[in-house]
Amino acid sequence: EAAVWIRKAADQGDAEAQHQLGCLCDEGQGVPQNFNESSEWYRKAADQGHIEAQYNLAIKYFHGEGVPQSYDEALVWYRKAADQ
């Protein structure tokens, strides 16, 4: 049930909720595990400056989970997170 409320807040643009929903999708907790969807939610939160989402998105690019594998893109997101 928590996932339902988190998704509602994420759909309204709340960066923390978007990050949390990304984590739930990543781990398959309360929702089906889906790396594509988790990466999308991390991206939405990361674009708003959410540090943990930026870091998690970097990991996704590093490993190619839900996004095309790219060390260059991973480095971009690691740096954005580190610069805050």
Side-chain angles (χ1 to χ4, degrees):
E1 186 177 336
V4 172
W5 292 106
I6 292 170
R7 184 177 295 276
K8 286 183 181 190
D11 285 339
Q12 292 178 1
D14 182 274
E16 179 60 29
Q18 290 169 340
H19 174 253
Q20 290 300 320
L21 187 54
C23 292
L24 294 178
C25 292
D26 223 5
E27 299 168 8
Q29 292 184 333
V31 297
Q33 186 176 43
N34 184 327
F35 294 142
N36 292 333
E37 188 174 356
S38 68
S39 296
E40 289 173 18
W41 286 114
Y42 288 148
R43 169 65 76 138
K44 289 179 182 188
D47 284 343
Q48 294 187 64
H50 192 285
I51 297 170
E52 291 170 308
Q54 291 171 340
Y55 178 76
N56 287 345
L57 187 58
I59 292 170
K60 291 294 176 191
Y61 277 107
F62 187 86
H63 294 289
E65 293 179 343
V67 293
Q69 196 279 328
S70 170
Y71 294 130
D72 291 337
E73 193 69 16
L75 185 59
V76 167
W77 288 104
Y78 281 130
R79 283 187 174 146
K80 284 185 181 192
D83 286 344
Q84 291 195 53

